[in-house]
Amino acid sequence: MSDDTEEAANVSGLPAKMRDDEIEGVRRVRAALVLAQLDYRREIAALSQRGYDVADIARAVGVPGYKFAETVRVAQETAPIPEGFSGATVREICQRYFLGQITQEQVIHELTTWDYAIPEPRELGEFEEYEELPPSPPNSLNDVVQACQDGVLDGTTYETIIRAVMKRRQA
Protein backbone atom coordinates (compact mmCIF):
# COMPACT_ATOMS: atom_id res chain seq x y z
CA MET A 1 0.00 0.00 0.00
CA SER A 2 1.40 3.43 -0.89
CA ASP A 3 1.91 6.21 1.63
CA ASP A 4 -0.90 8.17 -0.05
CA THR A 5 -3.33 5.30 0.47
CA GLU A 6 -2.29 4.91 4.10
CA GLU A 7 -2.75 8.63 4.70
CA ALA A 8 -6.19 8.56 3.05
CA ALA A 9 -7.18 5.59 5.21
CA ASN A 10 -6.16 7.48 8.33
CA VAL A 11 -8.24 10.49 7.32
CA SER A 12 -11.37 8.29 7.23
CA GLY A 13 -10.63 7.05 10.74
CA LEU A 14 -9.70 3.53 9.65
CA PRO A 15 -6.49 1.78 10.64
CA ALA A 16 -3.69 2.57 8.18
CA LYS A 17 -3.87 -0.80 6.40
CA MET A 18 -7.68 -0.99 6.19
CA ARG A 19 -9.44 0.48 3.16
CA ASP A 20 -13.04 1.71 2.86
CA ASP A 21 -13.83 -1.02 0.32
CA GLU A 22 -12.65 -3.67 2.78
CA ILE A 23 -15.01 -2.48 5.52
CA GLU A 24 -17.99 -1.65 3.26
CA GLY A 25 -19.73 -5.00 3.83
CA VAL A 26 -19.53 -4.67 7.61
CA ARG A 27 -20.91 -1.13 7.43
CA ARG A 28 -23.85 -2.34 5.34
CA VAL A 29 -24.67 -5.24 7.65
CA ARG A 30 -24.41 -3.00 10.73
CA ALA A 31 -26.73 -0.39 9.18
CA ALA A 32 -29.18 -3.14 8.17
CA LEU A 33 -29.19 -4.53 11.72
CA VAL A 34 -29.83 -1.10 13.25
CA LEU A 35 -32.67 -0.35 10.83
CA ALA A 36 -34.19 -3.82 11.22
CA GLN A 37 -34.24 -3.34 14.99
CA LEU A 38 -35.94 0.06 14.64
CA ASP A 39 -38.50 -1.30 12.16
CA TYR A 40 -39.16 -4.32 14.43
CA ARG A 41 -39.72 -2.08 17.44
CA ARG A 42 -42.06 0.21 15.52
CA GLU A 43 -44.11 -2.75 14.28
CA ILE A 44 -44.36 -4.15 17.83
CA ALA A 45 -45.35 -0.70 19.15
CA ALA A 46 -48.04 -0.40 16.47
CA LEU A 47 -49.55 -3.76 17.45
CA SER A 48 -49.46 -2.80 21.11
CA GLN A 49 -51.11 0.55 20.39
CA ARG A 50 -53.89 -1.25 18.54
CA GLY A 51 -54.68 -2.95 21.83
CA TYR A 52 -53.26 -6.42 21.23
CA ASP A 53 -52.21 -8.30 24.35
CA VAL A 54 -48.47 -8.63 24.92
CA ALA A 55 -48.74 -12.41 25.26
CA ASP A 56 -50.64 -12.65 21.96
CA ILE A 57 -48.05 -10.55 20.14
CA ALA A 58 -45.23 -12.63 21.64
CA ARG A 59 -46.90 -15.86 20.55
CA ALA A 60 -47.49 -14.50 17.05
CA VAL A 61 -43.83 -13.57 16.57
CA GLY A 62 -42.47 -16.67 18.29
CA VAL A 63 -40.85 -15.01 21.30
CA PRO A 64 -41.24 -16.28 24.87
CA GLY A 65 -43.77 -14.08 26.65
CA TYR A 66 -41.66 -13.58 29.76
CA LYS A 67 -39.00 -11.84 27.63
CA PHE A 68 -41.40 -9.91 25.48
CA ALA A 69 -42.83 -7.39 27.96
CA GLU A 70 -39.50 -5.55 28.01
CA THR A 71 -39.40 -5.64 24.20
CA VAL A 72 -42.81 -3.97 24.09
CA ARG A 73 -41.75 -1.33 26.63
CA VAL A 74 -38.64 -0.48 24.58
CA ALA A 75 -40.70 -0.53 21.37
CA GLN A 76 -43.15 1.99 22.79
CA GLU A 77 -40.23 4.34 23.56
CA THR A 78 -38.88 4.14 19.99
CA ALA A 79 -39.32 7.44 18.20
CA PRO A 80 -41.91 7.37 15.43
CA ILE A 81 -40.96 8.51 11.94
CA PRO A 82 -42.21 12.06 11.30
CA GLU A 83 -44.60 12.59 8.39
CA GLY A 84 -42.69 13.19 5.16
CA PHE A 85 -39.46 11.56 6.32
CA SER A 86 -38.01 8.07 6.04
CA GLY A 87 -36.44 8.04 9.51
CA ALA A 88 -36.86 9.46 12.99
CA THR A 89 -33.27 10.73 13.11
CA VAL A 90 -30.73 12.19 10.73
CA ARG A 91 -28.64 9.04 11.16
CA GLU A 92 -31.56 6.74 10.33
CA ILE A 93 -32.29 8.67 7.13
CA CYS A 94 -28.61 8.43 6.13
CA GLN A 95 -28.56 4.69 6.83
CA ARG A 96 -31.67 4.12 4.71
CA TYR A 97 -29.97 5.97 1.86
CA PHE A 98 -26.75 4.00 2.35
CA LEU A 99 -28.68 0.73 2.03
CA GLY A 100 -30.59 1.92 -1.05
CA GLN A 101 -33.94 2.09 0.74
CA ILE A 102 -34.36 5.72 -0.38
CA THR A 103 -32.98 7.61 -3.37
CA GLN A 104 -30.32 10.29 -3.43
CA GLU A 105 -33.02 12.80 -4.34
CA GLN A 106 -35.06 11.75 -1.30
CA VAL A 107 -32.16 11.90 1.19
CA ILE A 108 -31.21 15.34 -0.11
CA HIS A 109 -34.80 16.56 0.18
CA GLU A 110 -35.27 15.14 3.68
CA LEU A 111 -31.98 16.38 5.07
CA THR A 112 -32.28 19.85 3.58
CA THR A 113 -35.75 20.26 5.10
CA TRP A 114 -34.92 18.64 8.46
CA ASP A 115 -35.38 20.84 11.52
CA TYR A 116 -31.85 20.50 12.90
CA ALA A 117 -31.13 20.89 16.59
CA ILE A 118 -28.92 23.91 17.23
CA PRO A 119 -26.19 23.61 19.87
CA GLU A 120 -26.52 25.99 22.81
CA PRO A 121 -24.39 29.09 22.29
CA ARG A 122 -21.31 29.23 24.49
CA GLU A 123 -19.83 32.31 26.04
CA LEU A 124 -16.51 33.41 24.64
CA GLY A 125 -13.76 32.22 26.91
CA GLU A 126 -15.76 29.29 28.37
CA PHE A 127 -13.29 26.85 26.87
CA GLU A 128 -9.62 26.49 27.47
CA GLU A 129 -7.58 26.72 24.28
CA TYR A 130 -7.45 22.96 23.63
CA GLU A 131 -10.41 21.80 25.68
CA GLU A 132 -12.65 19.31 23.96
CA LEU A 133 -15.94 20.81 22.82
CA PRO A 134 -19.13 19.36 24.28
CA PRO A 135 -20.97 16.90 22.03
CA SER A 136 -23.49 18.26 19.56
CA PRO A 137 -27.13 17.62 20.40
CA PRO A 138 -28.83 14.69 18.63
CA ASN A 139 -30.17 15.50 15.17
CA SER A 140 -27.84 18.43 14.66
CA LEU A 141 -26.05 19.11 11.40
CA ASN A 142 -23.07 17.36 12.96
CA ASP A 143 -24.93 14.06 12.42
CA VAL A 144 -24.72 14.66 8.65
CA VAL A 145 -20.98 15.31 9.02
CA GLN A 146 -20.60 12.14 11.10
CA ALA A 147 -22.56 10.06 8.56
CA CYS A 148 -20.15 11.17 5.85
CA GLN A 149 -17.12 10.42 8.03
CA ASP A 150 -18.57 6.98 8.84
CA GLY A 151 -19.01 6.19 5.15
CA VAL A 152 -22.82 5.97 5.15
CA LEU A 153 -23.24 9.22 3.20
CA ASP A 154 -21.16 9.85 0.08
CA GLY A 155 -19.20 13.07 -0.38
CA THR A 156 -21.26 14.46 -3.27
CA THR A 157 -24.56 14.00 -1.43
CA TYR A 158 -23.02 15.40 1.76
CA GLU A 159 -21.81 18.56 -0.01
CA THR A 160 -25.20 19.08 -1.67
CA ILE A 161 -26.98 18.80 1.69
CA ILE A 162 -24.57 21.08 3.55
CA ARG A 163 -24.71 23.75 0.84
CA ALA A 164 -28.52 23.67 0.74
CA VAL A 165 -28.84 23.83 4.54
CA MET A 166 -26.39 26.74 4.77
CA LYS A 167 -28.20 28.56 1.97
CA ARG A 168 -31.54 28.01 3.75
CA ARG A 169 -30.10 29.32 7.03
CA GLN A 170 -28.85 32.49 5.33
CA ALA A 171 -32.24 33.19 3.79
Side-chain angles (χ1 to χ4, degrees):
M1 186 180 298
S2 73
D3 289 341
D4 290 341
T5 306
E6 286 182 21
E7 186 175 317
N10 284 331
V11 168
S12 69
L14 296 173
K17 299 202 183 292
M18 189 179 294
R19 298 184 322 264
D20 275 336
D21 62 329
E22 293 176 314
I23 197 72
E24 178 81 10
V26 174
R27 285 181 177 147
R28 289 193 177 284
V29 170
R30 182 170 185 264
L33 282 169
V34 168
L35 294 179
Q37 185 69 33
L38 287 170
D39 292 342
Y40 175 72
R41 288 176 179 168
R42 289 184 183 118
E43 290 294 326
I44 296 297
L47 289 172
S48 176
Q49 288 169 356
R50 287 187 201 118
Y52 290 105
D53 182 68
V54 171
D56 291 338
I57 300 170
R59 223 177 350 273
V61 297
V63 178
Y66 67 90
K67 291 182 177 182
F68 203 67
E70 177 65 11
T71 300
V72 171
R73 187 193 63 73
V74 170
Q76 291 170 338
E77 294 174 359
T78 301
I81 297 174
E83 184 75 31
F85 291 92
S86 60
T89 65
V90 170
R91 182 69 179 193
E92 183 179 352
I93 293 167
C94 290
Q95 288 173 317
R96 291 192 187 283
Y97 169 66
F98 178 63
L99 293 177
Q101 295 179 4
I102 62 174
T103 65
Q104 182 183 43
E105 182 179 295
Q106 189 175 354
V107 74
I108 289 170
H109 172 74
E110 290 184 22
L111 295 181
T112 56
T113 58
W114 188 267
D115 185 20
Y116 290 98
I118 308 287
E120 290 294 318
R122 303 295 291 226
E123 293 294 323
L124 209 53
E126 271 191 62
F127 295 103
E128 295 298 321
E129 189 173 345
Y130 296 105
E131 183 181 1
E132 188 175 314
L133 294 173
S136 295
N139 288 312
S140 69
L141 199 53
N142 190 54
D143 288 348
V144 177
V145 174
Q146 190 65 51
C148 185
Q149 290 173 344
D150 292 346
V152 297
L153 191 64
D154 62 272
T156 303
T157 305
Y158 164 81
E159 287 178 17
T160 302
I161 292 164
I162 295 297
R163 283 191 181 109
V165 169
M166 292 301 136
K167 186 177 179 180
R168 192 178 93 185
R169 285 185 176 176
Q170 291 172 352

